Amino acid sequence: MNGKVWLVGAGPGDPSLITVKGLHCIRHADVLVYDRLVCKELLAEVPAGCEMINVGKTPNNHPIPQDEINQILVAQALMGRNVVRLKGGDPYVFGRGGEEVETLAQSGIPFEVIPGITSAIGGLAYAGIPVTHRDHASSFHVITGHLQQGKDPQDWPTLAKLQGTLVILMGMSQIETICQQLIEHGKAASTPAAAVMCASHQVQKIAQGTLATLPQDVLREGIKSPALIVIGNVVQLQKLLQFTPTVMQLDEMIDLSTLAEAF
Ligand code: SAH
């Protein structure tokens, strides 16, 4: 009999932000397929004998091609195993989760998707930035800073006109272009802006300034990938709304035995 693939969102970093259902899946996995944004505390939750497959980077530091990852999931499920595909944040937010599940669906492999807290919202919250606020932003836009090769460049005139909070993922290598293009196409250079590195991890770090100063602020504070770039008036609330999160151990969290029948 075929196994099943559970596509699980790990949340932004703090391991206790995973869902109850996601943690239960990890604790019952026969094989765990994971990549680099997943924290080690969650990896430690697998049962004894669970096979661990790291598809983040090959030993010579090249990413494993997406087709190959898709085929690993299919092959493992065809062996009758409970496969957990664990991804940082939410699996459908720039995580290529859609591509993986497409392959499973086309191959007739049973699957389930367990959403996670995306860094684009939850990561900002941990940094003291509410993605919307009645006084500051009535919409938000989550944008990738990294485009697939051969695709059109960003539509800067449209992005610059948006009034809501802009959250840019995978944008650190392009931060100067991003800030400069938004200003050139009409966004005020004085718009508050920040970059949050390793949001919700214990090493979380923030650089703050304006659209005009952010590239230098980031350099000064030593902010590197993985980081979120956030542009909009909600950034002004950061100093007031920042907090120190309680550290929770996963086994203190909850008795998961009630979910056991699902497996
Ligand atoms: N599926 C993920 C995003 C994957 S794309 C999610 O929902 O969060 C990877 C990008 O996400 C990184 O380059 C970075 O921009 C952002 N990211 C993910 N986790 C982050 C974190 N803890 N802190 C800051 N940025 C993060």
PDB file of all heavy atoms in Angstrom, residues 12 37 88-90 93-95 118-120 169-170 196-199 201 225-228, ligand 1:
ATOM      1  N   PRO A  12       8.064  30.044  11.702  1.00  0.00           N
ATOM      2  CA  PRO A  12       9.189  30.895  11.309  1.00  0.00           C
ATOM      3  C   PRO A  12      10.528  30.593  11.985  1.00  0.00           C
ATOM      4  O   PRO A  12      11.558  31.023  11.486  1.00  0.00           O
ATOM      5  CB  PRO A  12       8.713  32.294  11.696  1.00  0.00           C
ATOM      6  CG  PRO A  12       7.697  32.082  12.770  1.00  0.00           C
ATOM      7  CD  PRO A  12       7.046  30.765  12.477  1.00  0.00           C
ATOM      8  N   LEU A  37      15.776  25.962   6.473  1.00  0.00           N
ATOM      9  CA  LEU A  37      15.136  26.912   7.388  1.00  0.00           C
ATOM     10  C   LEU A  37      14.485  26.236   8.599  1.00  0.00           C
ATOM     11  O   LEU A  37      13.917  26.901   9.453  1.00  0.00           O
ATOM     12  CB  LEU A  37      14.086  27.751   6.650  1.00  0.00           C
ATOM     13  CG  LEU A  37      14.617  28.911   5.812  1.00  0.00           C
ATOM     14  CD1 LEU A  37      13.487  29.604   5.062  1.00  0.00           C
ATOM     15  CD2 LEU A  37      15.382  29.929   6.650  1.00  0.00           C
ATOM     16  N   GLY A  88      10.107  25.486   6.274  1.00  0.00           N
ATOM     17  CA  GLY A  88      10.060  26.673   7.123  1.00  0.00           C
ATOM     18  C   GLY A  88       8.808  27.501   6.848  1.00  0.00           C
ATOM     19  O   GLY A  88       8.315  27.543   5.721  1.00  0.00           O
ATOM     20  N   GLY A  89       8.270  28.141   7.881  1.00  0.00           N
ATOM     21  CA  GLY A  89       7.118  29.028   7.709  1.00  0.00           C
ATOM     22  C   GLY A  89       5.880  28.267   7.287  1.00  0.00           C
ATOM     23  O   GLY A  89       5.573  27.210   7.845  1.00  0.00           O
ATOM     24  N   ASP A  90       5.202  28.773   6.288  1.00  0.00           N
ATOM     25  CA  ASP A  90       4.059  28.075   5.699  1.00  0.00           C
ATOM     26  C   ASP A  90       4.512  27.442   4.390  1.00  0.00           C
ATOM     27  O   ASP A  90       5.194  28.102   3.598  1.00  0.00           O
ATOM     28  CB  ASP A  90       2.912  29.069   5.426  1.00  0.00           C
ATOM     29  CG  ASP A  90       1.720  28.343   4.849  1.00  0.00           C
ATOM     30  OD1 ASP A  90       1.670  28.156   3.610  1.00  0.00           O
ATOM     31  OD2 ASP A  90       0.862  27.920   5.635  1.00  0.00           O
ATOM     32  N   VAL A  93       3.881  29.417   1.089  1.00  0.00           N
ATOM     33  CA  VAL A  93       4.366  30.792   0.898  1.00  0.00           C
ATOM     34  C   VAL A  93       5.817  30.711   0.409  1.00  0.00           C
ATOM     35  O   VAL A  93       6.732  30.434   1.192  1.00  0.00           O
ATOM     36  CB  VAL A  93       4.273  31.628   2.192  1.00  0.00           C
ATOM     37  CG1 VAL A  93       4.832  33.034   1.973  1.00  0.00           C
ATOM     38  CG2 VAL A  93       2.824  31.715   2.668  1.00  0.00           C
ATOM     39  N   PHE A  94       6.005  30.900  -0.868  1.00  0.00           N
ATOM     40  CA  PHE A  94       7.324  30.844  -1.510  1.00  0.00           C
ATOM     41  C   PHE A  94       8.137  29.607  -1.104  1.00  0.00           C
ATOM     42  O   PHE A  94       9.354  29.662  -1.055  1.00  0.00           O
ATOM     43  CB  PHE A  94       8.141  32.096  -1.193  1.00  0.00           C
ATOM     44  CG  PHE A  94       7.469  33.358  -1.638  1.00  0.00           C
ATOM     45  CD1 PHE A  94       7.426  34.465  -0.818  1.00  0.00           C
ATOM     46  CD2 PHE A  94       6.869  33.428  -2.883  1.00  0.00           C
ATOM     47  CE1 PHE A  94       6.794  35.629  -1.228  1.00  0.00           C
ATOM     48  CE2 PHE A  94       6.229  34.586  -3.311  1.00  0.00           C
ATOM     49  CZ  PHE A  94       6.191  35.693  -2.472  1.00  0.00           C
ATOM     50  N   GLY A  95       7.444  28.529  -0.801  1.00  0.00           N
ATOM     51  CA  GLY A  95       8.182  27.342  -0.347  1.00  0.00           C
ATOM     52  C   GLY A  95       8.197  26.249  -1.395  1.00  0.00           C
ATOM     53  O   GLY A  95       8.698  25.166  -1.149  1.00  0.00           O
ATOM     54  N   THR A 118       3.578  31.760   8.736  1.00  0.00           N
ATOM     55  CA  THR A 118       4.590  32.282   7.817  1.00  0.00           C
ATOM     56  C   THR A 118       5.440  33.352   8.498  1.00  0.00           C
ATOM     57  O   THR A 118       4.935  34.149   9.303  1.00  0.00           O
ATOM     58  CB  THR A 118       3.944  32.835   6.529  1.00  0.00           C
ATOM     59  OG1 THR A 118       4.984  33.365   5.712  1.00  0.00           O
ATOM     60  CG2 THR A 118       2.918  33.930   6.789  1.00  0.00           C
ATOM     61  N   SER A 119       6.708  33.396   8.122  1.00  0.00           N
ATOM     62  CA  SER A 119       7.593  34.449   8.653  1.00  0.00           C
ATOM     63  C   SER A 119       7.076  35.827   8.259  1.00  0.00           C
ATOM     64  O   SER A 119       7.267  36.804   8.980  1.00  0.00           O
ATOM     65  CB  SER A 119       9.025  34.248   8.141  1.00  0.00           C
ATOM     66  OG  SER A 119       9.065  34.372   6.733  1.00  0.00           O
ATOM     67  N   ALA A 120       6.377  35.892   7.114  1.00  0.00           N
ATOM     68  CA  ALA A 120       5.917  37.188   6.612  1.00  0.00           C
ATOM     69  C   ALA A 120       4.938  37.860   7.571  1.00  0.00           C
ATOM     70  O   ALA A 120       4.824  39.080   7.581  1.00  0.00           O
ATOM     71  CB  ALA A 120       5.253  37.006   5.245  1.00  0.00           C
ATOM     72  N   LEU A 169      10.296  38.909   0.901  1.00  0.00           N
ATOM     73  CA  LEU A 169      11.065  37.731   1.305  1.00  0.00           C
ATOM     74  C   LEU A 169      12.153  37.501   0.261  1.00  0.00           C
ATOM     75  O   LEU A 169      11.958  37.837  -0.926  1.00  0.00           O
ATOM     76  CB  LEU A 169      10.143  36.513   1.405  1.00  0.00           C
ATOM     77  CG  LEU A 169       9.406  36.303   2.745  1.00  0.00           C
ATOM     78  CD1 LEU A 169       8.519  37.464   3.081  1.00  0.00           C
ATOM     79  CD2 LEU A 169       8.616  35.014   2.745  1.00  0.00           C
ATOM     80  N   MET A 170      13.229  36.898   0.676  1.00  0.00           N
ATOM     81  CA  MET A 170      14.347  36.573  -0.229  1.00  0.00           C
ATOM     82  C   MET A 170      14.844  37.825  -0.947  1.00  0.00           C
ATOM     83  O   MET A 170      15.234  37.756  -2.119  1.00  0.00           O
ATOM     84  CB  MET A 170      13.918  35.513  -1.260  1.00  0.00           C
ATOM     85  CG  MET A 170      13.593  34.186  -0.628  1.00  0.00           C
ATOM     86  SD  MET A 170      13.047  32.965  -1.819  1.00  0.00           S
ATOM     87  CE  MET A 170      11.360  33.440  -2.080  1.00  0.00           C
ATOM     88  N   VAL A 196      14.372  42.378   9.264  1.00  0.00           N
ATOM     89  CA  VAL A 196      14.387  41.510  10.445  1.00  0.00           C
ATOM     90  C   VAL A 196      15.094  40.217  10.080  1.00  0.00           C
ATOM     91  O   VAL A 196      14.640  39.474   9.211  1.00  0.00           O
ATOM     92  CB  VAL A 196      12.954  41.184  10.919  1.00  0.00           C
ATOM     93  CG1 VAL A 196      12.998  40.361  12.191  1.00  0.00           C
ATOM     94  CG2 VAL A 196      12.122  42.450  11.093  1.00  0.00           C
ATOM     95  N   MET A 197      16.210  39.956  10.736  1.00  0.00           N
ATOM     96  CA  MET A 197      16.981  38.733  10.467  1.00  0.00           C
ATOM     97  C   MET A 197      16.601  37.662  11.498  1.00  0.00           C
ATOM     98  O   MET A 197      16.427  37.965  12.682  1.00  0.00           O
ATOM     99  CB  MET A 197      18.472  39.053  10.594  1.00  0.00           C
ATOM    100  CG  MET A 197      19.367  37.854  10.398  1.00  0.00           C
ATOM    101  SD  MET A 197      21.109  38.335  10.237  1.00  0.00           S
ATOM    102  CE  MET A 197      21.639  38.252  11.922  1.00  0.00           C
ATOM    103  N   CYS A 198      16.453  36.427  11.044  1.00  0.00           N
ATOM    104  CA  CYS A 198      16.171  35.292  11.935  1.00  0.00           C
ATOM    105  C   CYS A 198      15.015  35.591  12.889  1.00  0.00           C
ATOM    106  O   CYS A 198      15.117  35.356  14.098  1.00  0.00           O
ATOM    107  CB  CYS A 198      17.417  34.892  12.724  1.00  0.00           C
ATOM    108  SG  CYS A 198      18.741  34.306  11.689  1.00  0.00           S
ATOM    109  N   ALA A 199      13.937  36.087  12.339  1.00  0.00           N
ATOM    110  CA  ALA A 199      12.765  36.426  13.149  1.00  0.00           C
ATOM    111  C   ALA A 199      12.302  35.215  13.952  1.00  0.00           C
ATOM    112  O   ALA A 199      12.249  34.099  13.424  1.00  0.00           O
ATOM    113  CB  ALA A 199      11.642  36.886  12.228  1.00  0.00           C
ATOM    114  N   HIS A 201      13.755  33.499  16.087  1.00  0.00           N
ATOM    115  CA  HIS A 201      14.880  32.716  16.617  1.00  0.00           C
ATOM    116  C   HIS A 201      15.477  33.531  17.772  1.00  0.00           C
ATOM    117  O   HIS A 201      15.275  34.750  17.845  1.00  0.00           O
ATOM    118  CB  HIS A 201      15.974  32.522  15.573  1.00  0.00           C
ATOM    119  CG  HIS A 201      15.595  31.605  14.459  1.00  0.00           C
ATOM    120  ND1 HIS A 201      15.919  30.273  14.431  1.00  0.00           N
ATOM    121  CD2 HIS A 201      14.927  31.851  13.308  1.00  0.00           C
ATOM    122  CE1 HIS A 201      15.464  29.726  13.307  1.00  0.00           C
ATOM    123  NE2 HIS A 201      14.864  30.663  12.610  1.00  0.00           N
ATOM    124  N   SER A 225      20.767  37.360   5.193  1.00  0.00           N
ATOM    125  CA  SER A 225      19.707  36.386   4.944  1.00  0.00           C
ATOM    126  C   SER A 225      19.797  35.249   5.986  1.00  0.00           C
ATOM    127  O   SER A 225      20.915  34.909   6.385  1.00  0.00           O
ATOM    128  CB  SER A 225      19.913  35.836   3.535  1.00  0.00           C
ATOM    129  OG  SER A 225      18.885  34.986   3.206  1.00  0.00           O
ATOM    130  N   PRO A 226      18.700  34.644   6.473  1.00  0.00           N
ATOM    131  CA  PRO A 226      17.319  34.917   6.110  1.00  0.00           C
ATOM    132  C   PRO A 226      16.782  36.154   6.827  1.00  0.00           C
ATOM    133  O   PRO A 226      16.893  36.272   8.045  1.00  0.00           O
ATOM    134  CB  PRO A 226      16.580  33.659   6.587  1.00  0.00           C
ATOM    135  CG  PRO A 226      17.367  33.169   7.759  1.00  0.00           C
ATOM    136  CD  PRO A 226      18.792  33.538   7.461  1.00  0.00           C
ATOM    137  N   ALA A 227      16.225  37.053   6.049  1.00  0.00           N
ATOM    138  CA  ALA A 227      15.671  38.266   6.644  1.00  0.00           C
ATOM    139  C   ALA A 227      14.441  38.708   5.872  1.00  0.00           C
ATOM    140  O   ALA A 227      14.290  38.403   4.679  1.00  0.00           O
ATOM    141  CB  ALA A 227      16.719  39.371   6.643  1.00  0.00           C
ATOM    142  N   LEU A 228      13.580  39.415   6.586  1.00  0.00           N
ATOM    143  CA  LEU A 228      12.385  40.003   5.990  1.00  0.00           C
ATOM    144  C   LEU A 228      12.641  41.476   5.806  1.00  0.00           C
ATOM    145  O   LEU A 228      13.200  42.117   6.702  1.00  0.00           O
ATOM    146  CB  LEU A 228      11.202  39.854   6.955  1.00  0.00           C
ATOM    147  CG  LEU A 228      10.890  38.421   7.399  1.00  0.00           C
ATOM    148  CD1 LEU A 228      10.266  38.411   8.784  1.00  0.00           C
ATOM    149  CD2 LEU A 228       9.980  37.773   6.375  1.00  0.00           C
TER     150      LEU A 228
HETATM  151  N1  SAH B   1       7.724  29.450   3.506  1.00  0.00           N
HETATM  152  C1  SAH B   1       8.495  30.458   4.198  1.00  0.00           C
HETATM  153  C2  SAH B   1       9.253  31.355   3.254  1.00  0.00           C
HETATM  154  C3  SAH B   1      10.261  30.635   2.366  1.00  0.00           C
HETATM  155  S1  SAH B   1      11.188  31.718   1.353  1.00  0.00           S
HETATM  156  C4  SAH B   1       7.567  31.250   5.125  1.00  0.00           C
HETATM  157  O1  SAH B   1       6.344  31.125   5.039  1.00  0.00           O
HETATM  158  O2  SAH B   1       8.096  31.975   5.986  1.00  0.00           O
HETATM  159  C5  SAH B   1      12.604  32.003   2.350  1.00  0.00           C
HETATM  160  C6  SAH B   1      12.643  33.431   2.810  1.00  0.00           C
HETATM  161  O3  SAH B   1      11.718  33.640   3.877  1.00  0.00           O
HETATM  162  C7  SAH B   1      13.966  33.873   3.391  1.00  0.00           C
HETATM  163  O4  SAH B   1      14.865  34.272   2.389  1.00  0.00           O
HETATM  164  C8  SAH B   1      13.542  35.065   4.244  1.00  0.00           C
HETATM  165  O5  SAH B   1      13.295  36.206   3.447  1.00  0.00           O
HETATM  166  C9  SAH B   1      12.198  34.599   4.768  1.00  0.00           C
HETATM  167  N2  SAH B   1      12.301  33.968   6.107  1.00  0.00           N
HETATM  168  C10 SAH B   1      11.924  32.734   6.447  1.00  0.00           C
HETATM  169  N3  SAH B   1      12.093  32.527   7.774  1.00  0.00           N
HETATM  170  C11 SAH B   1      12.576  33.681   8.275  1.00  0.00           C
HETATM  171  C12 SAH B   1      12.937  34.126   9.568  1.00  0.00           C
HETATM  172  N4  SAH B   1      12.822  33.340  10.643  1.00  0.00           N
HETATM  173  N5  SAH B   1      13.408  35.381   9.706  1.00  0.00           N
HETATM  174  C13 SAH B   1      13.499  36.207   8.647  1.00  0.00           C
HETATM  175  N6  SAH B   1      13.176  35.850   7.397  1.00  0.00           N
HETATM  176  C14 SAH B   1      12.709  34.608   7.212  1.00  0.00           C
END
